[in-house]
Amino acid sequence: MSFDLIHHIAIICHDREKALDFYVRKLGFEIVSDHKRVEKKDEKIDIKKGEIQLELFIKPNAPSRLSYPIGEGTGLRHLAFKVNNIEEIVKELQSLNIVVEDIRVDDFTGEKMTFFFDPDDLPIELHE
């Protein structure tokens, strides 16, 4: 069995405008397609940045995420992006009024890392 790459990652969001402001306007993803799914009572927005593709599912009535880090549930724990210069990316995020945790060193890899959160509190990791 061979898996070549991750094709996409799907994220459930509560609010369309907050999600688009965060992922498109602030993080720089572009909208590839945008579909209202009447039968499922949601919207599916495909976004892409370079080789990274995300699916945003807008579900206003979806259950909220459990508290972080205590009380984590099963499923996606966080999304992580590899970056070349973590300090530069952190400054860019902060200039967009995105709160970013202090940069720290990964206990296992010795590499620099940090977290910030999307509007629905999905942890997003930066890893250098």
Side-chain angles (χ1 to χ4, degrees):
M1 183 179 316
S2 174
F3 300 123
D4 297 326
L5 297 168
I6 293 174
H7 184 270
H8 68 270
I9 297 169
I11 301 171
I12 296 174
C13 307
H14 283 121
D15 185 287
R16 175 187 173 87
E17 288 311 310
K18 286 181 181 177
L20 291 178
D21 180 60
F22 183 80
Y23 286 100
V24 175
R25 294 186 230 0
K26 291 181 178 172
L27 297 189
F29 282 82
E30 65 179 78
I31 296 173
V32 176
S33 64
D34 189 344
H35 305 281
K36 288 195 186 294
R37 303 185 324 161
V38 177
E39 72 285 354
K40 296 189 181 208
K41 299 178 183 165
D42 69 6
E43 299 175 55
K44 177 183 176 286
I45 305 168
D46 296 315
I47 60 175
K48 188 172 184 177
K49 182 173 181 152
E51 296 298 314
I52 302 167
Q53 187 167 325
L54 304 178
E55 290 180 345
L56 303 180
F57 287 89
I58 310 301
K59 296 178 170 277
N61 296 323
S64 292
R65 194 173 170 81
L66 296 173
S67 62
Y68 176 83
I70 298 169
E72 292 179 318
T74 56
L76 180 67
R77 183 175 189 179
H78 64 265
L79 179 62
F81 295 121
K82 179 82 171 158
V83 298
N84 289 324
N85 185 328
I86 198 165
E87 288 87 357
E88 181 180 302
I89 301 298
V90 166
K91 284 180 187 174
E92 286 182 55
L93 292 168
Q94 290 171 333
S95 75
L96 297 167
N97 295 317
I98 296 173
V99 176
V100 183
E101 293 181 354
D102 292 338
I103 296 171
R104 58 188 183 272
V105 175
D106 185 291
D107 292 337
F108 301 105
T109 67
E111 298 168 340
K112 290 187 269 185
M113 60 174 287
T114 189
F115 282 92
F116 60 104
F117 301 85
D118 85 350
D120 289 292
D121 293 325
L122 173 67
I124 300 175
E125 179 181 350
L126 299 177
H127 206 96
E128 193 175 84

